[in-house]
Amino acid sequence: MRDDDPRLPTSPGFWRSPLRGTWFTSVLGLVLLVGVTVLFVTGLVSYAAYNPDLAPVNDQTPDKGILGFYLFSWPTNPYWLYRVTQGLHVTLGIVLIPVLLAKLWSVVPKLFTLPPARSLAHALERVSLLLLVGGGLFEFTTGVLNVQLDYVFPGSFYPLHFYGAWVFFAAFLAHAALKTPTALRAVRERRRHQDEGDEGELATPRPDAPTVSRRGALWFTGGASLLLLVMTAGQSIGGVWRRTALLAPHGGADPGSGPNGFQINKTAAYAGIDAQETGPEAWRLVVTGRDGRTVRLSRAELLRLPLHSAALPIACVEGWSTADQWWRGVRLRDLAALVGYDTDPPDVLVESVQRHGAFRRAALRANQVADPRSLLALQVNGEDLSPDHGYPARVIVPAAPGVLNTKWVARMTFGDL
């Protein structure tokens, strides 16, 4: 068969939808230009929130090299910072899926264009497109699977999604530099790009009869994105809106009822927590500090220390978050004072009773320890912590990702990490 045989995808006549055209593709591309940029920035912000250059236990990407150039000490103000940035990252990522798929559909004939490379410059452009399409599909797929707690790719989500984001965004920037002027020009001159007008090289030479206009197709895409927004955003907004988050693993009714009736990520049973280990007879908090000074505290002894309260949410990398919960416990800086750090508390390594799994150990920066709202929480909403919420004690720190708010705490080591 010849390359121009309409039965082959390499032939322009094979692709007969009258919707494809420069204006249609340009509108989708400009939406993605803004949306993907916000996704990339909020993704990097999420990475910084883990304090990956503080200690090896926090660093899921030890070979990042210069890709960690922007890292900064994660703040504790505003206390809802991570809840907003990560909620935006996950929700926007899901909302953009229809736009991404529509954009790929609109340009798919170009992927089959022959010859595959007319020149060196054209070959480089095709390679960048391969990285762009492949990277985009990989990033969106891994992100959605992680949000749904059904991550199936080999290897850890954190490094794969991180390095994949850099590859995808580099190709995205190269493509944007080449195509944005054309897209802006096409949108400005939209009167010349009416539904049945001339649409350049993206238009099929043998169009089928239209069943919907290009603007109608854009409205359909926007409607799909709006539907995904309604079915996802509630996991970050909380309250009654959580019931609308049907696509979110934590979007249904709150687990249980009463003071401990709010979302969890990892149950005590899932983490393998033995009730005997956390019982009052066996459990002791081991706190180590300056010059090896160590104290061992039972839960009853912790309750006799000065207790403080803070209203803070829990926000996780999957995009879900709780409303503010009222936590009560011992300030982290007061625990540091018990082991020799009366002023300027240092970093701390927190270790859980949990023996296996990611982030069973986590490091917190000195500014997080020093914040008066950072607690070793013993109670929540006026009641003792439930086993699923970290009984006998858990860390709660303003603006920190949920995995750094270690549950079932067994040991805390203060000092330079």
Side-chain angles (χ1 to χ4, degrees), residues 24 132 394 407:
F24 182 73
L132 178 68
R394 70 168 298 161
K407 297 194 286 188

Coordinates of all heavy atoms in Angstrom, one line a residue, residues 24 132 394 407:
F24 N -8.8 24.8 17.3 CA -9.2 23.9 18.3 C -8.0 23.4 19.2 O -8.0 23.4 20.4 CB -9.9 22.7 17.7 CG -10.4 21.6 18.6 CD1 -11.5 21.9 19.4 CD2 -9.7 20.4 18.7 CE1 -12.0 20.9 20.2 CE2 -10.2 19.4 19.6 CZ -11.4 19.7 20.3
L132 N 7.3 14.3 25.2 CA 6.2 15.1 25.7 C 5.0 14.2 25.9 O 4.4 14.2 27.0 CB 5.9 16.2 24.7 CG 4.7 17.1 25.0 CD1 5.0 17.9 26.3 CD2 4.4 18.0 23.9
R394 N 1.2 10.7 68.8 CA 1.6 11.0 67.4 C 2.1 12.4 67.3 O 1.8 13.3 68.2 CB 0.4 10.8 66.5 CG -0.7 11.8 66.6 CD -1.7 11.8 65.5 NE -1.1 12.1 64.2 CZ -1.6 11.8 63.0 NH1 -2.8 11.2 63.0 NH2 -1.0 12.1 61.9
K407 N 2.8 8.6 63.4 CA 1.9 8.0 64.3 C 2.6 6.9 65.1 O 3.6 6.4 64.7 CB 0.6 7.4 63.6 CG -0.2 8.5 62.9 CD -1.6 7.9 62.5 CE -1.5 7.0 61.3 NZ -2.9 6.7 60.8

